[in-house]
Amino acid sequence: MSLQRISIESFRNITKANLLPSEGLNLIYGHNGSGKTSILEAIFFLGMGRSFRSHLSQRVIRHDEDKLTLFALLSHQNGESKVGLRRHRNGDIEVKIDGDRVKRLSTLAETLPIQVITPESFSLLFEGPKARRQFIDWGAFHSDEQFHLAWTNVKRVLKQRNQLLRNNSSYANILFWDKELVRYAEQVTQIRNHYVDSLNELLKGIIEEFLPQVNISISFTRGWDSKTDLAQLLESQYSRDLATGHTVSGPHKADLRLRVGNLPVQDALSRGQLKLLVCALRIAQGKLLKQQQDKQSIYLVDDLPSELDAQHRQLLLKQLTETGAQIFVTAIEPAAIVDSLASPPSKVFHVEQGQVTVIE
C-alpha cells in the first residue's frame, strides 16, 4: 500500500501542494516552520480525520481560509482508491472514498493505516494510560473486525451508567447496564489481550536489536483486578462509583505496562532509549498488520535525527526500510538522513515557506 499522489490545500502554511511520492523512503527537508511537518500532518489527517499536533482541528486550516482540502490516490493490492477530505472551520467534515460519501471516520483508518513517529510520540510512555490504550486499540481495530462495534458499545454503556451514577440512581436501576458492560467488556478485553500477545512475539526481536543490553517486559492490564469477576466488582464498588460520579474500573482503564525489572521504562531508560522503544512499538505494530491482514502501514517519521546518534539513526532507518512500507521522513538537514541510509532516498522534497519542490 502506498500513496501515489497527495494534494494539500489550505493546510497550515501550505496554500497548495501536489506531491508524487515514491513507494519507498521519501525525505522531506527544510528549516523549522517551513511546512515539512505539515505535510506529514496532512497525510495523518487524511488517514484519521484529525491532527497529531492539535486537538482543535480548526487550527490546521490556513488562517485566511474557511476550509482545507486533502486528496490522495492510494495504490493497494486490489488496485487504486481515491480518498478525499474537506474540513470546514465550523467543524463540518466531508469524506469521500472513490466518490462515495463516508459517514464514519473509522473507515478512513481502515483504508489508510498510518504509523506516526514524532517528538510527541513520547506521550505513549509519559501521558498516562489513555495514549497506550489508543495504541492497543489501533491494532485491535485492524486485527479483529468485531472490535470497533464492541468498543463502541462499551463506551455507550459507560455513558448511560455514569449518567445514572450522577443522578444517584439505585443499584437496581444500574444492574441492567452492568450486565451489558460485562458482556462487551469481556469481548473487548479478549481481543485486546490476544493482540498484545501477538505483538509481543514481533516486538521482542526488534527491542533486542534496538536495546540489546536492556531487558524490557511488556504486559497488558485489562482495567480491573485479573482475579476479580467484573460483575461482582461493579456491584461491590457501586458506593464508590456513586461518590465519584463515574465508573472507576472496567475496560476503559486498560493499559500497556512496560517495565525494566520492577521500574517503569520512564524511570529506567534515557530519552534516546525511550525514543527507540517507541519506534520499536510502532514498527512492530506495522509489521503485525502486514502479517495478519497483508496490509502495509504508511510510516510518518518527523524530526528523526533529534536525540538519536548516528548509529541508532542508521539502525532505525534500516528497520523501517526492511518493512517494505512507504516511509515519509523529515529533517532540517538532509545529510542527517542520507548519511544513515545504505542507499539514497527514493525521493527528496525540499519545503520552504509552504512551497514544496522535488529535488532530482
Side-chain angles (χ1 to χ4, degrees):
M1 176 178 296
S2 62
L3 296 167
Q4 301 296 302
R5 180 157 64 94
I6 307 164
S7 297
I8 304 169
E9 190 173 333
S10 302
F11 192 97
R12 296 283 189 188
N13 66 335
I14 299 175
T15 304
K16 200 164 189 176
N18 290 287
L19 289 79
L20 300 174
S22 161
E23 292 183 357
L25 190 145
N26 298 273
L27 170 58
I28 304 168
Y29 75 95
H31 295 300
N32 285 330
S34 62
K36 61 184 186 298
T37 300
S38 298
I39 295 173
L40 301 193
E41 187 182 10
I43 296 170
F44 184 87
F45 207 103
L46 192 57
M48 299 294 289
R50 59 181 174 83
S51 166
F52 62 72
R53 296 169 71 190
S54 172
H55 296 299
L56 301 174
S57 294
Q58 289 88 338
R59 289 186 177 178
V60 305
I61 301 173
R62 188 174 167 83
H63 64 87
D64 54 350
E65 299 291 341
D66 64 351
K67 64 181 181 297
L68 65 85
T69 304
L70 304 171
F71 171 84
L73 178 63
L74 180 66
S75 175
H76 47 77
Q77 58 188 10
N78 296 321
E80 292 182 341
S81 294
K82 296 177 180 179
V83 182
L85 181 150
R86 181 167 287 149
R87 177 78 189 223
H88 297 263
R89 196 171 289 280
N90 65 7
D92 291 345
I93 187 167
E94 306 164 44
V95 178
K96 288 185 177 181
I97 297 177
D98 292 328
D100 296 327
R101 183 70 66 91
V102 172
K103 294 182 179 179
R104 294 188 299 113
L105 290 180
S106 60
T107 307
L108 277 179
E110 189 176 355
T111 304
L112 190 58
I114 290 173
Q115 293 292 340
V116 61
I117 300 172
T118 73
E120 292 81 13
S121 294
F122 280 111
S123 64
L124 185 62
L125 303 177
F126 284 104
E127 286 191 4
K130 183 178 179 181
R132 292 186 291 276
R133 196 162 47 246
Q134 289 175 340
F135 172 82
I136 297 169
D137 289 351
W138 186 97
F141 169 80
H142 284 285
S143 66
D144 194 312
E145 61 183 11
Q146 298 181 53
F147 178 79
H148 180 70
L149 180 58
W151 180 230
T152 300
N153 282 324
V154 165
K155 292 186 285 187
R156 175 182 59 82
V157 171
L158 280 170
K159 184 177 180 180
Q160 294 288 344
R161 189 180 195 272
N162 290 340
Q163 186 59 55
L164 289 170
L165 290 169
R166 288 190 288 270
N167 292 341
N168 292 314
S169 297
S170 67
Y171 188 70
N173 290 332
I174 291 177
L175 182 58
F176 167 79
W177 295 106
D178 278 7
K179 291 178 180 178
E180 289 287 283
L181 179 57
V182 168
R183 178 159 69 101
Y184 295 122
E186 288 176 348
Q187 189 177 5
V188 163
T189 300
Q190 183 179 10
I191 296 171
R192 282 172 169 170
N193 194 48
H194 178 70
Y195 177 74
V196 173
D197 284 346
S198 300
L199 186 69
N200 257 325
E201 293 297 315
L202 277 172
L203 192 56
K204 186 177 179 182
I206 300 172
I207 289 178
E208 284 176 353
E209 189 166 349
F210 279 177
L211 302 165
Q213 307 302 321
V214 185
N215 185 20
I216 299 172
S217 63
I218 299 174
S219 59
F220 169 69
T221 58
R222 61 184 187 173
W224 70 96
D225 191 323
S226 59
K227 298 178 182 178
T228 306
D229 178 75
L230 181 58
Q232 294 176 354
L233 182 64
L234 290 170
E235 184 175 0
S236 66
Q237 288 188 346
Y238 163 70
S239 297
R240 181 183 174 188
D241 289 351
L242 198 66
T244 60
H246 67 271
T247 307
V248 173
S249 301
H252 57 300
K253 299 293 184 179
D255 198 358
L256 191 67
R257 183 173 294 167
L258 301 97
R259 292 185 175 272
V260 177
N262 294 323
L263 288 175
V265 292
Q266 302 94 310
D267 299 334
L269 302 180
S270 68
R271 278 187 70 85
Q273 288 175 317
L274 289 170
K275 187 160 191 173
L276 285 171
L277 177 57
V278 171
C279 293
L281 287 164
R282 294 296 183 188
I283 290 171
Q285 195 166 62
K287 283 187 172 183
L288 186 57
L289 178 65
K290 175 63 176 174
Q291 188 180 96
Q292 291 181 335
Q293 305 292 332
D294 195 25
K295 185 185 290 186
Q296 282 282 22
S297 297
I298 292 170
Y299 287 89
L300 309 178
V301 188
D302 190 31
D303 196 19
L304 183 143
S306 68
E307 298 175 56
L308 292 180
D309 58 27
Q311 179 186 352
H312 286 118
R313 283 201 300 271
Q314 187 175 4
L315 184 60
L316 176 55
L317 286 167
K318 176 176 174 288
Q319 282 279 356
L320 284 168
T321 53
E322 284 179 354
T323 64
Q326 187 177 38
I327 306 162
F328 294 84
V329 179
T330 69
I332 296 173
E333 294 293 338
I337 302 301
V338 174
D339 294 348
S340 300
L341 289 168
S343 57
S346 301
K347 209 153 193 181
V348 179
F349 300 92
H350 178 238
V351 187
E352 185 174 0
Q353 297 182 347
Q355 299 295 315
V356 184
T357 305
V358 180
I359 304 299
E360 299 296 342

